[in-house]
Amino acid sequence: MSIVAIVGRPNVGKSTLFNRLTQTRQAIVDEEAGTTRDRQYGKAEWNGREFSVVDTGGWVVNSEDVFESEINKQVEIAIEEADVILFVVDVLTGIADLDDEVAKMLRRSGKTVVLAANKADNYEAHPLAAEFYALGLGDPFPISAINGSYTGDLLDRIIEILPDKKEELMEEELPRIAIVGRPNAGKSSLINAFIGEDRHIVTDIAGTTRDSIYTKYNKFGLNFYLVDTAGIRKKGKVNEDLEYYSVIRAIKAIENSDVCILMLDALRGIESQDLNIFSVIQKNSKGLIVCINKWDLVEDKSQAAIKTYINAIEQRFAPFNDFPVLFISALTKQRVFKVLETAKEVYENRKRIIPTAKLNEVMLPIIEKTPPPAWKGKYIKIKYITQLQEAVIPSFIFFCNLPQWIKEPYKRFLENRMRANWNFSGTPIRIYVREK
């Protein structure tokens, strides 16, 4: 899946446009310049084509703000890694010095750029966009991120220039297992432990793995592709923002995988970057295994310590907490084969089909015992359940008389009861309610 990065100077409406394209309110929007510091990742869909959107902080030079240099580094990384750059400018203020700085950087990058002249909230402002031809980046698109006018034309242009999907030359039926995590969590070491050789370069310097590497694994009755996500930079570029880079490079590998093995460092615990990567996995509805690496270096290995660690993970990753948690050491190869066995199990759980008769035999008595809450005196009756056969993840349709009154808490109840009766560990479940 392609990546579109939104760049520009502060306060031109990048986060508002991000929210518009992703149809969310994920990015914080404020009049104060520099509000966006943590990166935002989302998915957009237009005319049947999906792509990832990355919101970056505003580009600033000669600023006293300690965050600005880091924001600028992240903007540079986004420009390097994205397939299309969406350069946002302010049609009301015209070309500013910082716009020139960003435009020079974009021209040097050689990347495909779409110029969005934002804040053209009415037709009177549209002619003002002509000034931005001076940036030398092609036709400006006058839009309004706040009310959505002409964003459809902008999306048409983005879809037109996005690179064509290139299918990997692989056996499609084989599962793809992506190894993801923060820099130095032990991703490459784990793959080397799997394949029994130093196929991948492993160093203590974050920045060795450059591109996602597919490794065919066919041993001990297991047959799939392992993906070592390029979460890190070359040695010559380790001064850049590695934490940000680890996510933006992992996005494509996660999107192309079936099951993700999320590596956590036992000595560092759960950090915000782990939650960012977990969020990307969840948004793409991928299978999940959490591996606590470097367990050999932990002094307290008691059951109480293990339980405390698992509880902390489940609380931070809530509400989805039905996934395997393994305590491993890639260095000593402790439980590494268990990781592969569990990955195969999670992949099978994603493909699990429950016969319709069995589904109704088990779930209807549970629903009868704990029915959906009545709404304004009207009783909701679920009469029939079936599974969507062609869905990517296990998806179930519950047919009832008043589907609009079944709310999320009851859907979670249904999901929990299904997980209690069938093994869906590690995979998301979708619950749909339809009128019979």
Side-chain angles (χ1 to χ4, degrees):
M1 192 175 296
S2 303
I3 295 178
V4 175
I6 303 175
V7 303
R9 61 181 172 85
N11 230 8
V12 294
K14 296 185 299 298
S15 294
T16 304
L17 184 57
F18 172 88
N19 289 343
R20 173 69 59 181
L21 297 183
T22 59
Q23 298 183 12
T24 66
R25 293 189 177 182
Q26 186 176 337
I28 300 171
V29 178
D30 194 273
E31 290 297 325
E32 181 183 350
T35 299
T36 302
R37 283 171 177 164
D38 292 331
R39 301 288 62 77
Q40 298 289 340
Y41 313 92
K43 294 173 76 68
E45 189 271 335
W46 187 252
N47 288 341
R49 182 79 184 271
E50 274 193 339
F51 56 92
S52 295
V53 183
V54 180
D55 179 26
T56 67
W59 179 271
V60 170
V61 293
N62 300 324
S63 170
E64 295 180 359
D65 189 335
V66 295
F67 289 101
E68 299 300 356
S69 62
E70 291 303 313
I71 291 173
N72 291 353
K73 290 178 185 177
Q74 294 179 1
V75 173
E76 290 174 351
I77 294 170
I79 289 172
E80 180 182 344
E81 298 305 324
D83 298 295
V84 172
I85 310 296
L86 187 52
F87 180 21
V88 183
V89 293
D90 188 336
V91 76
L92 300 180
T93 60
I95 297 177
D97 292 341
L98 287 174
D99 292 326
D100 278 327
E101 293 288 335
V102 177
K104 288 176 185 176
M105 184 169 55
L106 293 177
R107 288 196 297 268
R108 287 195 301 268
S109 73
K111 289 297 181 75
T112 304
V113 178
V114 177
L115 185 58
N118 192 28
K119 304 188 183 179
D121 299 340
N122 52 56
Y123 289 114
E124 286 75 12
H126 282 213
L128 301 177
E131 177 183 356
F132 295 99
Y133 279 105
L135 296 176
L137 294 172
D139 296 332
F141 283 80
I143 65 162
S144 173
I146 195 73
N147 64 33
S149 64
Y150 284 87
T151 52
D153 293 344
L154 182 69
L155 284 164
D156 285 341
R157 176 59 179 159
I158 291 173
I159 295 300
E160 180 184 332
I161 61 179
L162 280 178
D164 294 330
K165 297 178 182 178
K166 294 181 180 178
E167 297 295 330
E168 298 286 345
L169 298 177
M170 300 183 187
E171 300 173 40
E172 291 186 358
E173 296 302 317
L174 291 185
R176 297 183 185 184
I177 314 298
I179 317 294
V180 296
R182 284 185 283 106
N184 291 334
K187 300 185 292 295
S188 294
S189 298
L190 182 61
I191 288 191
N192 288 343
F194 287 159
I195 63 180
E197 59 185 86
D198 291 338
R199 177 82 59 84
H200 295 169
I201 302 170
V202 181
T203 72
D204 291 331
I205 301 173
T208 306
T209 307
R210 180 65 178 95
D211 294 310
S212 297
I213 302 169
Y214 288 85
T215 301
K216 180 76 172 292
Y217 186 94
N218 189 1
K219 294 181 181 179
F220 310 110
L222 302 174
N223 190 17
F224 43 71
Y225 287 104
L226 293 168
V227 188
D228 181 13
T229 51
I232 33 193
R233 298 292 272 173
K234 288 181 178 178
K235 293 181 182 179
K237 297 185 179 179
V238 294
N239 61 318
E240 294 182 358
D241 192 321
L242 300 170
E243 299 294 337
Y244 173 63
Y245 187 79
S246 66
V247 173
I248 195 170
R249 289 298 293 171
I251 289 175
K252 290 181 180 178
I254 289 172
E255 289 172 342
N256 291 327
S257 68
D258 298 303
V259 177
C260 295
I261 298 172
L262 176 56
M263 302 282 287
L264 303 183
D265 190 323
L267 302 180
R268 295 174 62 177
I270 307 168
E271 297 182 348
S272 61
Q273 196 67 7
D274 299 316
L275 296 177
N276 282 338
I277 297 173
F278 171 77
S279 174
V280 176
I281 295 171
Q282 283 297 98
K283 286 175 183 176
N284 286 278
S285 300
K286 302 301 181 181
L288 174 66
I289 301 168
V290 175
C291 289
I292 315 300
N293 192 29
K294 306 181 184 179
W295 192 241
D296 55 313
L297 303 179
V298 175
E299 294 182 3
D300 184 5
K301 297 184 176 68
S302 64
Q303 288 299 315
I306 292 174
K307 187 174 181 180
T308 300
Y309 217 120
I310 292 176
N311 288 339
I313 292 172
E314 290 180 347
Q315 289 175 9
R316 298 292 295 276
F317 290 174
F320 180 53
N321 53 26
D322 184 14
F323 50 80
V325 179
L326 302 176
F327 295 82
I328 70 167
S329 170
L331 187 64
T332 65
K333 301 186 179 180
Q334 180 184 14
R335 300 189 189 91
V336 293
F337 188 70
K338 180 67 175 177
V339 176
L340 291 179
E341 289 182 320
T342 307
K344 181 182 178 183
E345 180 182 334
V346 169
Y347 178 76
E348 291 171 350
N349 292 344
R350 281 173 61 84
K351 303 297 182 183
R352 190 176 306 283
I353 300 294
I354 309 299
T356 302
K358 188 68 177 177
L359 198 57
N360 286 271
E361 176 188 334
V362 172
M363 290 301 297
L364 288 181
I366 294 174
I367 293 169
E368 186 176 352
K369 185 177 180 181
T370 311
W375 183 264
K376 295 182 179 180
K378 296 181 180 179
Y379 292 96
I380 303 168
K381 296 181 180 180
I382 295 176
K383 303 175 181 178
Y384 183 73
I385 311 159
T386 187
Q387 183 174 0
L388 289 172
Q389 301 294 315
E390 301 298 325
V392 177
I393 62 173
S395 302
F396 302 89
I397 302 179
F398 289 72
F399 292 98
C400 70
N401 57 335
L402 297 167
Q404 67 272 27
W405 302 127
I406 294 185
K407 305 301 180 183
E408 285 302 319
Y410 194 76
K411 289 182 181 180
R412 285 196 293 271
F413 164 77
L414 294 175
E415 178 179 339
N416 291 337
R417 296 285 68 78
M418 296 195 68
R419 291 185 183 276
N421 284 279
W422 294 283
N423 184 7
F424 290 112
S425 176
T427 181
I429 292 178
R430 290 196 182 118
I431 301 290
Y432 300 99
V433 184
R434 298 286 184 268
E435 188 170 2
K436 183 169 175 63

